[in-house]
Amino acid sequence: MAVYTDITEDDLTRFLAAYDVGSLTSYKGIAEGVENSNFLLHTTKGSYILTLYEKRVNADDLPFFLGLMHHLAERGLSCPLPLPRADGELLGTLSGRPAAVISFLEGMWLRKPEAQHCREVGRALAAMHKASEGFPLKRANALSVDGWRPLWQNSEARADEVQAGLREEIAADLAHLEEHWPKHLPEGVIHADLFPDNVFFLGDRLSGLIDFYFACNDFLAYDIAICLNSWCFEKDGSYNITKGMALLAGYESVRKLTAEEVVALPLLARGAALRFFLTRLYDWLTTPPGALVVKKDPLEYLTKLRFHRAVASSAEYGLRREGASA
């Protein structure tokens, strides 16, 4: 459940007086997401999302997140738009938390995406990368290669509780990635968390991207690697090359990968799998019973990590053009 901070109707009514959204008619908590408290608002002027930013989100990062959404929306990308207050600010305070009112995006996320949906996701990701050009703020990716060893050190001693031999296996992966991680690839603003539950569809049409609260500056191709991990594997752990081919073709219909990105993709995909394995492992080992945050099984990403180790070229992900084969 994603309501960590409760609000009263009186407090909410006073808070909304600073926005041009009409009068409150109803509101309810939204039981999805893990980082913030979210509410669906209905007013006399329409529907909106209210987000209260909890302690896991660094308040200093909020101008980046909200400014990015505004920048992308102004350039035609379909994503939630933070609404300004009467004083021009995008942030207010409600129940002791930084809070924002966000436009409501129609659609729902797909539980069983197919290849055609993966193509749309690839196209939308590339459109986001291009639309983010010129965004003036910067935010480092704290969950890229430099952040993995500190994460691992918090879990390493107990890793074999999850699976025998895991400590030695992951230590070898981490050392390999630290030694061989690319240094000179095209960079820009990436979403960094474009999982199926952060992409809305109306039927088969992609209606928008949401949840930019991991967005940061990093290699653009790393964002593709995250999507290959989150969109193109089946529940049994097998890689669906038809979905991968569609996602990559969709991306390249908007932005062509460089030769260096093509070569680096298997390593980036392996790194992305390790990143999500490590955060899931930490939560799995440290989240107390009864906590509101739902723990996700780290072994799902261990299976993906093992797959990527054996990949020799981007062609094995479904990239069909010169330079994709080793």
Side-chain angles (χ1 to χ4, degrees), residues 82 98 141 201 205 226 241 246 296 318:
N141 185 0
F201 282 83
R205 181 179 66 83
I226 291 171
I241 195 168
K296 296 179 180 179

Side-chain angles (χ1 to χ4, degrees), residues 3-68:
V3 177
Y4 305 111
T5 300
D6 201 6
I7 58 176
T8 68
E9 184 174 350
D10 287 344
D11 286 345
L12 178 55
T13 298
R14 284 192 291 270
F15 176 80
L16 292 178
Y19 294 86
D20 183 20
V21 296
S23 301
L24 181 69
T25 58
S26 67
Y27 71 100
K28 65 177 181 179
I30 299 174
E32 289 189 351
V34 297
E35 293 293 321
N36 305 306
S37 293
N38 296 290
F39 299 83
L40 174 60
L41 311 181
H42 296 290
T43 76
T44 52
K45 286 194 173 183
S47 298
Y48 305 90
I49 300 296
L50 168 70
T51 297
L52 275 65
Y53 299 98
E54 301 293 346
K55 294 179 180 179
R56 289 181 64 162
V57 175
N58 186 342
D60 291 339
D61 287 333
L62 292 177
F64 178 93
F65 300 142
L66 298 177
L68 175 63

Side-chain angles (χ1 to χ4, degrees), residues 51-230:
T51 297
L52 275 65
Y53 299 98
E54 301 293 346
K55 294 179 180 179
R56 289 181 64 162
V57 175
N58 186 342
D60 291 339
D61 287 333
L62 292 177
F64 178 93
F65 300 142
L66 298 177
L68 175 63
M69 287 189 278
H70 211 275
H71 178 92
L72 295 173
E74 285 183 338
R75 283 152 183 79
L77 191 83
S78 181
C79 66
L81 180 65
L83 303 184
R85 294 161 43 92
D87 60 7
E89 297 295 324
L90 298 178
L91 271 176
T93 302
L94 179 60
S95 296
R97 296 281 187 267
V101 177
I102 312 291
S103 63
F104 181 77
L105 193 65
E106 294 285 351
M108 61 184 297
W109 70 273
L110 301 176
R111 272 63 177 178
K112 295 181 179 180
E114 299 177 359
Q116 61 190 353
H117 306 118
C118 293
R119 181 181 295 273
E120 292 303 308
V121 168
R123 185 179 291 118
L125 182 66
M128 190 212 105
H129 289 166
K130 292 183 76 70
S132 66
E133 293 174 0
F135 182 60
L137 301 183
K138 304 290 183 182
R139 179 177 181 265
N141 185 0
L143 292 172
S144 189
V145 62
D146 291 337
W148 297 340
R149 185 162 293 279
L151 259 179
W152 174 234
Q153 290 170 342
N154 289 330
S155 305
E156 182 179 8
R158 297 180 58 196
D160 284 358
E161 295 176 24
V162 177
Q163 187 175 103
L166 195 56
R167 183 174 184 174
E168 182 178 356
E169 181 179 355
I170 297 304
D173 269 309
L174 179 57
H176 178 85
L177 288 164
E178 287 176 332
E179 181 178 356
H180 298 284
W181 197 247
K183 298 189 183 303
H184 303 291
L185 295 177
E187 296 185 27
V189 177
I190 69 170
H191 186 284
D193 193 37
L194 202 63
F195 278 58
D197 58 351
N198 287 330
V199 181
F200 280 6
F201 282 83
L202 285 170
D204 290 331
R205 181 179 66 83
L206 192 152
S207 59
L209 311 181
I210 68 167
D211 198 352
F212 287 82
Y213 302 114
F214 284 96
C216 56
N217 295 86
D218 206 335
F219 299 143
L220 299 179
Y222 182 60
D223 229 4
I224 303 171
I226 291 171
C227 287
L228 289 173
N229 276 286
S230 57

